[in-house]
Amino acid sequence: MRRLRPRTAGILCACLVLLGAGVFAGVRWAQGWKGSVTLLANWSGEERDQFEENVIEPFERKYRIDVVYQGSSALSQVLAADMVAGNPPDVAVLPGPGELLAYAVDGRLQPLDGLFDAGHYDRIWAPEVTVPGREGRNTYWLPVKTGLKSMVWYSGERPTVESAGDPERWCLGMESGATSGWPGTDWVEDILLQQAGPQVYEKWANGGLDWTHPAVRKAWMTWGELVGAGQGRAVRALTTGYGEDCAGRRLEHQGSFRAGHWRAAGGDYVHSSEVVPDTGPDAGAWEVSGDLAILLAPTEEARQLIRYLADTGAALPDHSANEAAAPDSAQDATQKEIGDILRGRQEQTRCWDASDAMPRAMRDAFQQAVLRFLAEPASLDAQLKELQKLSVEQSLPVCSRD
């Protein structure tokens, strides 16, 4: 029997894949499907399965619009490559507004005005932005999933500044693929927020306060002392997954996405201001994060998906920032409390995760800097000077004003 050469076999496989896709599309068209929309996000594994089951499939059934989902942990890199190739997805979901602001200024994003009521969201979640070439101010992103930070999870005795001073007590892992280092940026940001307050924090996140400022340097040094920067365990954290080094009665500085893990272990959380040394008079603000949907193609199918994601009836993952959304009846008291804080139902200031509010190049350099600092704390001053060279001023609403 004659064997196919590799090139011939490859072409045959590609043709079969295309044929299968064509048959699948033809069947859907015959069943009354009205079009398709491509969606890029970073959800994978169980999180992706839940999103497809609870959000995508109900949307497809209701509107007969096929959602072609692409998941990637290297989200920013994939989107940038798609942009260069001239083949971006119709809708993308990215963490934080810093990278999105740059796309909006470059004219890459379609305004979302009229697709949802931005008045149902705090100014930090869905701000109006002025970009060159467009009249007035427009909204360019929609929060799909939000998370609470400034949390220290524990089991056993409630931690204090004194009891949290032992580096051996802290969970410490920095590895996270293309975004390794982000747990460390969360630490530095949160310490600055608790020590210097929201106004200083917002100015720094927007590039208006130098990285070499004493308040910023102090935040780095405080983190280094808490986790033992330069010591063997801190160095090993560079290759330890962010959720792996957390056995026994250790403390973990992580967000609400870790609630399930700690609640299952009988744990709870305190606000980070209860364990951060030298907090200021404005301590107590919450750092928050979010996955934001953007519209890259002005098709009706893509617009309909944005409308659906803003609907209070959509079963979005974790917590919605829509103030009109009712708490999930399946959530326990802790989850409901977290949701209330995120939606502004408690009078507490919330501030964006600063690195997510920064331009992409600044964020990436920040993540790399925390990795080097853990290994070589003596390099801090040189690193802060290098980070300052990348800093650019912008005008994003970083902190709420509750």
Side-chain angles (χ1 to χ4, degrees):
M1 179 178 178
R2 182 183 179 187
R3 297 181 61 187
L4 295 175
R5 287 181 291 179
R7 175 179 172 82
T8 305
I11 294 173
L12 177 60
C13 289
C15 290
L16 290 173
V17 170
L18 291 174
L19 178 61
V23 170
F24 180 74
V27 170
R28 286 206 158 189
W29 184 261
Q31 293 175 343
W33 290 77
K34 299 177 181 178
S36 65
V37 55
T38 53
L39 171 65
L40 173 67
N42 67 349
W43 301 313
S44 60
E46 183 180 353
E47 193 172 28
R48 171 177 176 168
D49 293 342
Q50 292 177 351
F51 182 73
E52 289 185 332
E53 179 180 351
N54 298 327
V55 180
I56 291 180
E57 291 176 9
F59 171 80
E60 290 180 326
R61 287 195 299 268
K62 183 174 182 178
Y63 295 104
R64 313 302 291 172
I65 295 172
D66 182 30
V67 178
V68 181
Y69 179 87
Q70 178 186 5
S72 174
S73 59
L75 194 60
S76 295
Q77 295 86 341
V78 170
L79 181 59
D82 287 347
M83 292 281 198
V84 172
N87 187 36
D90 299 324
V91 175
V93 181
L94 280 80
E99 188 172 352
L100 304 188
L101 179 63
Y103 283 133
V105 170
D106 287 345
R108 303 273 192 173
L109 306 188
Q110 299 293 322
L112 304 184
D113 303 82
L115 300 182
F116 69 96
D117 188 349
H120 288 167
Y121 299 84
D122 186 272
R123 62 191 288 272
I124 66 169
W125 296 122
E128 291 184 331
V129 177
T130 301
V131 301
R134 291 190 185 273
E135 295 184 2
R137 297 169 63 83
N138 300 99
T139 300
Y140 289 95
W141 49 82
L142 165 73
V144 174
K145 170 186 174 183
T146 61
L148 188 65
K149 297 192 174 184
S150 298
M151 309 174 84
V152 172
W153 294 96
Y154 70 97
S155 61
E157 185 178 351
R158 188 183 182 97
T160 63
V161 173
E162 291 75 21
S163 65
D166 178 5
E168 292 297 321
R169 290 208 63 191
W170 289 99
C171 305
L172 195 62
M174 296 290 123
E175 198 282 322
S176 185
T179 58
S180 292
W182 67 260
T185 65
D186 278 9
W187 256 122
V188 174
E189 298 159 1
D190 195 19
I191 292 173
L192 178 65
L193 179 59
Q194 307 312 324
Q195 289 182 337
Q199 290 187 339
V200 171
Y201 178 93
E202 182 169 48
K203 186 176 181 181
W204 168 69
N206 271 323
L209 183 74
D210 286 356
W211 285 80
T212 55
H213 189 279
V216 179
R217 188 181 189 280
K218 180 180 179 179
W220 283 81
M221 293 299 295
T222 300
W223 178 52
E225 292 167 4
L226 279 173
V227 300
Q231 300 174 20
R233 183 164 170 263
V235 175
R236 290 194 297 273
L238 305 183
T239 55
T240 301
Y242 67 86
E244 294 177 10
D245 180 37
C246 217
R249 293 180 175 267
R250 284 183 174 158
L251 309 176
E252 185 176 33
H253 180 265
Q254 283 290 2
S256 55
F257 73 96
R258 291 284 284 169
H261 166 81
W262 282 95
R263 299 298 284 171
D268 205 345
Y269 73 90
V270 296
H271 194 286
S272 60
S273 60
E274 295 190 30
V275 301
V276 170
D278 302 324
T279 55
D282 295 323
W286 294 93
E287 192 177 8
V288 299
S289 62
D291 290 340
L292 308 174
I294 54 174
L295 182 63
L296 295 160
T299 67
E300 183 52 37
E301 293 86 354
R303 293 180 187 277
Q304 189 60 63
L305 180 58
I306 293 293
R307 293 188 192 99
Y308 185 78
L309 294 175
D311 193 313
T312 56
L316 299 177
D318 289 348
H319 300 282
S320 170
N322 191 327
E323 295 173 0
D328 187 338
S329 60
Q331 292 178 341
D332 61 22
T334 297
Q335 292 286 1
K336 289 179 180 177
E337 180 181 48
I338 291 169
D340 285 346
I341 295 171
L342 288 166
R343 287 191 285 273
R345 291 173 179 165
Q346 298 186 18
E347 293 185 0
Q348 295 168 309
T349 299
R350 289 148 295 145
C351 297
W352 259 110
D353 177 308
S355 58
D356 285 345
M358 294 173 182
R360 177 185 166 193
M362 187 79 259
R363 178 200 64 201
D364 293 349
F366 189 7
Q367 291 173 351
Q368 291 300 309
V370 299
L371 299 177
R372 185 178 175 191
F373 173 72
L374 275 182
E376 303 176 56
S379 69
L380 177 60
D381 289 331
Q383 288 197 83
L384 293 179
K385 291 178 182 177
E386 290 301 314
L387 289 171
Q388 181 56 36
K389 291 178 182 178
L390 292 174
S391 183
V392 294
E393 288 199 49
Q394 57 186 21
S395 181
L396 272 176
V398 173
C399 293
S400 66
R401 292 289 181 260
D402 288 346

